Amino acid sequence: MSIALPPNSTIGIVGGGQLGRMSALAAARLGYRCHILTPERDSPASQVSAGTTFGDYEDPAALRAFAGRTDVITFEFENISAEGLDLLASLRPVRPSPSVLRISQYRLAEKRFLNRIGVPTAPWAAVDTLAELDTAVAHIGLPAVLKTTRLGYDGKGQALLREPGEVAAAFAELSPKPLILEGFIDFACEISVLVARGSDGTMSTFDTVENGHRDHILDITYAPARIPEQTAAAAQALARRVAEGLDLVGVLAVEMFVTADGRVLANEIAPRPHNSGHWTIDACPASQFEMHVRAVAGLPLLPAERHSDAVMKNLVGPEEMALWPEIVASPGLIPHHYGKTEARPGRKMGHVTRLFPRGGLPGAFGIAAALGSLAPAEPD
Ligand code: AMP
């Protein structure tokens, strides 16, 4: 275990979004100050932090000024360049390390890493040219998903290929190259696991949860996932293997598919707190954010046990934010507002958690009743 960061030290967070905001709130409870690096004025994280360096993630002067105001650095945003993070790491401890970011921000490196450590994924191939894509389609078959290898999130930068006639147009449209072709997984459900790992290698693994998406954006998380216990345990073991393989210090999310025959395949990893772990704020003694801060600050990790079952519903865009007055007036709905002033379509503005007694997660109609106007259109 590294030496614990004393209270009143400053944790630097690269990125000013809601993940930084909720990390800073957790850090404050442990007596730490947070200092944010973001180009954005009045960012969600800056609103609740001790200070902000306003600057571009690639500007060496801004990176140096930011590092100078911190004792240890982490990131809530993965689109900083690994070189930028290297510069920070030459000035202060950066947790997780830039080598972890190099893997998670590049889909090809991510898939290679996962398969190397024995974690199964969809079949995939790197494609740089249309001829390579034709060969990959011949091997993997259709349907398949063609994705950019960098900067993709919330379904941006990907195309579903159903027919051979769609291949060339999708290849022309997506950039930058190389791309990655993945076999389409006809999944029974999507799940994720958050695991925290300290610098001494200890780990705390949150329960496996189930995720429903709408328009490629996470809509709802069910904790725990409504899947057989052994599948949930296999997913947790897989997430721990990833954290160990990365020599992670911090929190990591692994998003996975469960196939109809019960296999668990990794889709994506994110070496930071994750939207599918927001339920832990209200349903666990130490949330994913507190666990992340603990790992980054060298404090002991706590058991990641939930005291309650939970459903987390994202509040996306102006339509769902219009329900805010109703939400804050509803007993039982725990509101979380990210402090963003403009509710653009597709923008994550906040979330709501509804708790149930442990082991008492109701069925689809019970959940719909508990969520009121926020219930998913088609309960699943
Ligand atoms: P990603 O950007 O890789 O997280 O993908 C966003 C969403 O697209 C996932 O949550 C899935 O719902 C869907 N998706 C991505 N890859 C595949 C795949 N290989 N097979 C089926 N669905 C996929």
Side-chain angles (χ1 to χ4, degrees):
M1 174 69 67
S2 58
I3 298 163
L5 200 64
N8 291 311
S9 303
T10 300
I11 298 174
I13 302 178
V14 176
Q18 62 268 19
L19 301 175
R21 177 187 183 94
M22 291 182 273
S23 299
L25 291 170
R29 283 179 49 237
L30 294 168
Y32 297 123
R33 290 143 204 245
C34 285
H35 189 88
I36 308 299
L37 174 65
T38 175
E40 189 192 343
R41 297 279 151 188
D42 194 35
S43 72
S46 298
Q47 290 168 14
V48 302
S49 293
T52 298
T53 297
F54 296 103
D56 194 90
Y57 301 118
E58 310 306 326
D59 172 7
L63 291 169
R64 284 179 195 285
F66 165 69
R69 309 267 313 261
T70 69
D71 297 299
V72 61
I73 292 172
T74 188
F75 50 88
E76 63 106 48
F77 168 83
E78 285 169 80
N79 291 339
I80 181 178
S81 69
E83 292 70 30
L85 213 56
D86 283 339
L87 173 57
L88 294 176
S90 72
L91 302 165
R92 291 290 183 275
V94 172
R95 299 175 182 141
S97 74
S99 62
V100 172
L101 186 77
R102 282 196 160 81
I103 293 173
S104 73
Q105 70 180 187
Y106 186 43
R107 279 191 206 272
L108 292 173
E110 184 180 61
K111 288 281 194 298
R112 277 185 204 118
F113 162 76
L114 289 169
N115 294 165
R116 181 171 60 74
I117 63 166
V119 168
T121 59
W124 61 275
V127 290
D128 218 354
T129 62
L130 187 55
E132 280 175 10
L133 178 56
D134 287 336
T135 309
V137 167
H139 273 96
I140 290 173
L142 294 180
V145 187
L146 187 63
K147 300 180 180 178
T148 54
T149 50
R150 291 186 190 278
L151 304 179
Y153 67 96
D154 288 346
K156 295 186 174 69
Q158 57 175 277
L160 175 64
L161 308 181
R162 278 161 296 218
E163 308 286 336
E166 294 170 333
V167 170
F171 180 79
E173 195 155 303
L174 291 174
S175 67
K177 314 289 194 283
L179 304 173
I180 181 171
L181 185 75
E182 295 179 14
F184 179 81
I185 306 299
D186 188 15
F187 51 77
C189 67
E190 293 189 81
I191 59 172
S192 59
V193 171
L194 277 136
V195 55
R197 187 171 181 274
S199 53
D200 61 352
T202 55
M203 286 191 271
S204 280
T205 314
F206 288 99
D207 289 302
T208 304
V209 299
E210 182 181 341
N211 300 315
H213 295 83
R214 209 174 58 181
D215 301 331
H216 291 285
I217 301 172
L218 182 65
D219 179 41
I220 195 157
T221 296
Y222 304 90
R226 301 164 298 179
I227 56 176
E229 223 166 273
Q230 76 193 61
T231 311
Q236 288 184 303
L238 187 153
R240 282 192 290 267
R241 185 186 294 195
V242 173
E244 249 164 19
L246 290 171
D247 196 16
L248 179 88
V249 179
V251 155
L252 168 88
V254 184
E255 294 183 79
M256 296 166 255
F257 301 124
V258 180
T259 62
D261 57 358
R263 285 177 306 132
V264 176
L265 305 176
N267 175 36
E268 222 176 18
I269 62 179
R272 52 168 173 76
H274 189 261
N275 197 166
S276 67
H278 290 358
W279 64 279
T280 61
I281 301 174
D282 302 304
C284 300
S287 72
Q288 62 162 348
F289 299 102
E290 175 167 341
M291 220 68 102
H292 184 67
V293 169
R294 282 174 173 268
V296 167
L299 298 181
L301 300 181
L302 299 179
E305 220 169 311
R306 73 182 198 281
H307 52 67
S308 302
D309 288 4
V311 173
M312 188 284 313
K313 170 79 180 76
N314 264 346
L315 301 174
V316 178
E319 308 80 20
E320 292 184 335
M321 277 320 279
L323 299 171
W324 186 253
E326 189 183 321
I327 290 165
V328 291
S330 302
L333 295 186
I334 305 174
H336 297 260
H337 195 293
Y338 301 154
K340 298 177 187 176
T341 47
E342 201 192 333
R344 292 191 292 271
R347 195 173 195 210
K348 292 174 182 169
M349 301 299 295
H351 72 267
V352 165
T353 311
R354 174 86 203 212
L355 297 181
F356 302 92
R358 192 184 154 108
L361 193 68
F365 290 102
I367 289 173
L371 289 178
S373 323
L374 288 171
E378 302 150 29
D380 55 3

